[in-house]
Amino acid sequence: MDGLIPPGNPDHRPRRHRASDERIDRILTAAVAVFSRVGLDGARIEAIAREAGMSKTNLLYYFPTKERLYTAALDRVLDRWLVPLRDMDVEDDPVAAIRGYIAEKLDWSRRDPAASRLFAMEMLRGAPLLKPLLEGALRDLVDEKSHIIRGWIAAGRLAPVDPRHLIFAIWATTQHYADFAVQVEAVSGHTLDDPAFATATADALTRLLLDGLRPRANSGTGGL
């Protein structure tokens, strides 16, 4: 979504393009790590370049300003997070689709907690650089998937629920384990890096969210 990576299968592009992609990936990974620790105002290009293992001059060739780099890092975080939601299809089994979405979001919190914390920081500062994307592409995607969820409800395949609140609940519960990892570990003694705890967490969230979504006899559709 940052518009800098050439389209197409990277294995079929010239070597210089693949090398460029690799450098951009290193820069964005480093940017997420640094921005998530100190924020936009506290981050220095020199520190991000060191994290990426390259010179400041080389980094600035790809991202001429810190703000552009920050926005590109956030764009990539959101783009990756939304892949499982984009994949949700009207032909899917709704319970399996929602279970899979919960699992994917929780796995992202385990694999890339810095990305989740960076996104949370941006939301807390009012999302001045990301708001156009939130109000455009993200809203459109949520509207599209909400329409699918309403279809499942109308067909009696899910209990009545406001689709947007369901999506918000999945985001909130899964990202909590990244954004509040220190609190989770202090209280439970575990993090998602513990496979047994990660499995128990996924099972608990799935039960909490899906048990309330299973269709029941005589359930209405009010409030949608």
Side-chain angles (χ1 to χ4, degrees), residues 102-103 105-107 109-110 173-178 184 188 190-209:
I102 293 167
K105 286 293 283 102
L106 195 61
D107 194 48
S109 287
R110 178 190 64 79
T173 53
T174 55
Q175 288 166 222
H176 174 87
Y177 291 86
V184 169
S188 69
H190 300 282
T191 71
L192 292 178
D193 288 329
D194 177 342
F197 182 73
T199 298
T201 301
D203 289 345
L205 295 185
T206 299
R207 285 197 303 273
L208 283 169
L209 291 164

Side-chain angles (χ1 to χ4, degrees), residues 30 44 46 50-51 84 93 99 112 115 141 179 181 188 193 212 220:
R44 296 177 60 83
E46 293 87 346
R50 283 197 302 272
E51 185 90 14
D93 173 75
R99 179 186 291 116
D112 201 354
L141 179 63
D179 301 342
S188 69
D193 288 329

